[in-house]
Amino acid sequence: MACSILIGCAPGKILIDGQPLRKFISNNTVLGRGQTGLALYDPVRKKYIARYHSHEFYTPASIMKLFTFYAAINMLGDSIPSIRYCISDDTLFFSGLGDPTVLDDRFPLQPVFSFLKEYPGALAYCPAVSAERRLGPGWAWDDFIYDYSPEKSAFPVYGNMVRIINRQSGPQPLIEPEIFRDSFQSLNGSSTELPGEIIFREERSNKFTLVSQPLTADTLRIPFIVDDGLIVQMLEDTLGKKIVLRQFPQHCPMRVLNSQPFDSVMKIMLTVSDNFIAEQTLLGISALRHDTISSSRAILESIEQLFPGMEDKMHWVDGSGLSRYNLVNPEGVIMVLNKILEAVPLTRLISLLPNNGMSGKMLKSIREEVPFIYGKSGSMTHVYNISGFLETRRGKILVFCIMNNNFNAPIEDAEYQSGRILISIRDKF
């Protein structure tokens, strides 16, 4: 049987409950009822240890963030570009470069806020030229109310989400930004019109409904609809300064102001699997290199410059993996992981990636005090994938990718079965 299909090319069989891996997958009541692909690679020997349906295509979900991460490593600097600006006649003209961190409460230091606040002259916001739609291609249209699907924009503020903060000392929650306070209405008790929802927003307007019941968390977030006038209002309210809408003057020398350190932003994108940061990272790559912001252009250039020869191993349409239009195969993921390993020292890489010893979304079923898996998982309905770097009992670092699609079982079940495979690989090698 061909090595590209079965595990037979491995130096010794990987056994799970006494079964060879091929039989374990095909007989498994979860994985065997969907499509599963696997690739296991030794980066020292530069050869595959095992492949199982590794050339076939799968919906990657958040594994796509590894592609975005590698593009960012090569196309952004050691900090995130935030605004493009120039000064003319004592007025500071500025435009966004897609930075997702401005006024995001996860980043205590706010260089852009301080820069605009301290500027002694007038401020003028210049809308960027953008070819971007507010949501990505292939995203679920009805996810617009959920915090994993904020709108994309050239100048995000507050992560393009309203925060509802549960105040123990008062009956009403705190709304941030304050500008949205009057946009909320309350319902007493649960609502049959909003089954299971605590916060709701009208599809085409920033009108919110807060069901009057105990909040399930200290802070809840819901996306708002973005437009340039609203951005100016929020900046004026936060800065306490007047801002006008203008275009950049001609012959005004442009500068770029950066904000957060690269690693601090990428760590959140990877460990929390932050879709918004991933999408805005692609916009940042495009904005820094071109006059028009376009994530599809950033993707095309990344494929041409960073992934030559991989055209037949992926179909890449967004930065986060939210889209079901994305398609990759395990061999393509292995190629990207190897490129990342060549570009980033392993110690630094381990500090950025989630592992199976920490809280989070990756392999909750096999938490261990001493982690042995560092990587990225990706899941959506009927999809669970995991890929990254595995440290074996003998101290080897192997590169792996397991992709499971179209199984009809809870995601947790596919995660557990994938974990069993990875434990067996760790113990074998």
Side-chain angles (χ1 to χ4, degrees):
M1 189 68 72
C3 173
S4 62
I5 299 177
L6 297 182
I7 200 74
C9 58
K13 292 181 178 179
I14 299 171
L15 300 178
I16 305 170
D17 293 342
Q19 299 182 83
L21 179 57
R22 175 184 61 81
K23 285 190 175 182
F24 172 78
I25 293 174
S26 61
N27 294 337
N28 192 275
T29 57
V30 178
L31 308 185
R33 299 183 69 181
Q35 287 78 49
T36 293
L38 177 147
L40 181 65
Y41 186 85
D42 185 335
V44 175
R45 297 168 63 204
K46 298 188 183 304
K47 65 181 296 185
Y48 281 99
I49 297 173
R51 287 181 284 187
Y52 178 85
H53 296 305
S54 59
H55 63 291
E56 296 180 4
F57 286 93
Y58 303 82
T59 299
S62 283
I63 282 183
M64 218 65 231
K65 293 183 176 72
L66 293 171
F67 291 72
T68 301
F69 175 56
Y70 185 66
I73 291 169
N74 286 274
M75 295 185 173
L76 298 180
D78 58 5
S79 56
I80 303 299
S82 189
I83 61 172
R84 180 177 282 116
Y85 72 95
C86 73
I87 298 173
S88 177
D89 296 330
D90 295 328
T91 296
L92 174 68
F93 296 82
F94 67 98
S95 183
L97 294 174
D99 177 13
T101 72
V102 177
L103 299 178
D104 185 322
D105 59 308
R106 294 173 297 182
F107 299 91
L109 296 178
Q110 288 288 324
V112 173
F113 173 84
S114 299
F115 178 70
L116 298 177
K117 181 76 173 177
E118 294 167 6
Y119 182 72
L123 298 178
Y125 174 70
C126 306
V129 178
S130 177
E132 205 67 17
R133 294 185 175 182
R134 59 191 184 95
L135 302 178
W139 291 13
W141 72 268
D142 55 347
D143 283 350
F144 67 89
I145 64 170
Y146 297 113
D147 61 4
Y148 57 79
S149 188
E151 294 188 8
K152 299 183 285 183
S153 67
F155 199 112
V157 287
Y158 299 98
N160 286 351
M161 287 190 284
V162 183
R163 292 195 300 158
I164 300 92
I165 302 170
N166 191 9
R167 292 191 295 186
Q168 302 297 331
S169 59
Q172 297 296 322
L174 179 66
I175 306 297
E176 291 184 346
E178 176 68 23
I179 195 172
F180 289 107
R181 163 61 66 180
D182 294 335
S183 300
F184 275 79
Q185 65 170 336
S186 295
L187 291 178
N188 293 321
S190 60
S191 169
T192 56
E193 297 179 1
L194 310 174
E197 304 295 349
I198 294 177
I199 317 171
F200 190 77
R201 196 201 80 210
E202 293 185 8
E203 182 182 355
R204 301 183 186 280
S205 71
N206 284 324
K207 294 182 180 179
F208 304 88
T209 299
L210 181 62
V211 178
S212 297
Q213 55 180 289
L215 297 184
T216 56
D218 290 339
T219 302
L220 300 176
R221 289 174 167 84
I222 184 168
F224 56 78
I225 296 174
V226 181
D227 65 56
D228 292 320
L230 180 60
I231 292 169
V232 168
Q233 282 184 279
M234 287 189 289
L235 288 174
E236 284 184 332
D237 188 63
T238 306
L239 293 167
K241 301 177 72 171
K242 177 67 176 175
I243 301 175
V244 295
L245 271 168
R246 292 286 188 271
Q247 297 296 322
F248 279 114
Q250 293 184 347
H251 312 300
C252 186
M254 294 291 182
R255 302 177 184 177
V256 170
L257 177 68
N258 290 0
S259 62
Q260 310 297 330
F262 178 87
D263 281 11
S264 67
V265 178
M266 292 298 104
K267 183 177 179 67
I268 292 177
M269 182 186 81
L270 294 170
T271 58
V272 181
S273 202
D274 192 297
N275 295 324
F276 185 65
I277 289 178
E279 296 299 333
Q280 294 296 138
T281 296
L282 284 187
L283 295 191
I285 290 171
S286 173
L288 193 62
R289 298 160 68 88
H290 303 287
D291 293 334
T292 300
I293 294 177
S294 167
S295 59
S296 60
R297 189 169 187 175
I299 289 170
L300 180 61
E301 289 188 348
S302 297
I303 293 173
E304 290 175 345
Q305 298 177 26
L306 304 177
F307 304 108
M310 282 189 61
E311 293 84 353
D312 63 337
K313 295 185 183 299
M314 63 176 171
H315 181 62
W316 181 8
V317 301
D318 72 5
S320 63
L322 272 175
S323 177
R324 287 188 181 267
Y325 296 166
N326 291 306
L327 286 174
V328 299
N329 60 32
E331 292 179 18
V333 176
I334 293 293
M335 289 180 68
V336 173
L337 288 167
N338 280 323
K339 287 176 177 289
I340 291 172
L341 189 59
E342 291 171 359
V344 182
L346 185 60
T347 52
R348 178 187 171 199
L349 194 53
I350 285 174
S351 73
L352 297 176
L353 290 168
N355 63 65
N356 68 302
M358 66 190 295
S359 61
K361 297 183 178 181
M362 196 185 74
L363 280 178
K364 294 176 286 223
S365 60
I366 54 170
R367 295 271 184 259
E368 297 197 8
E369 289 187 10
V370 179
F372 67 96
I373 296 168
Y374 307 89
K376 188 78 195 74
S377 61
S379 61
M380 56 177 61
T381 305
H382 310 305
V383 171
Y384 179 79
N385 310 309
I386 183 166
S387 61
F389 308 95
L390 184 152
E391 185 175 4
T392 71
R393 291 286 191 196
R394 299 174 188 174
K396 291 184 177 180
I397 298 295
L398 302 178
V399 185
F400 73 90
C401 178
I402 302 175
M403 305 191 77
N404 306 298
N405 281 196
N406 299 322
F407 54 86
N408 189 21
I411 289 172
E412 290 77 11
D413 293 354
E415 177 199 284
Y416 175 71
Q417 300 302 334
S418 299
R420 294 176 69 192
I421 294 173
L422 294 172
I423 288 172
S424 298
I425 292 172
R426 177 196 64 180
D427 295 345
K428 170 65 180 176
F429 299 97

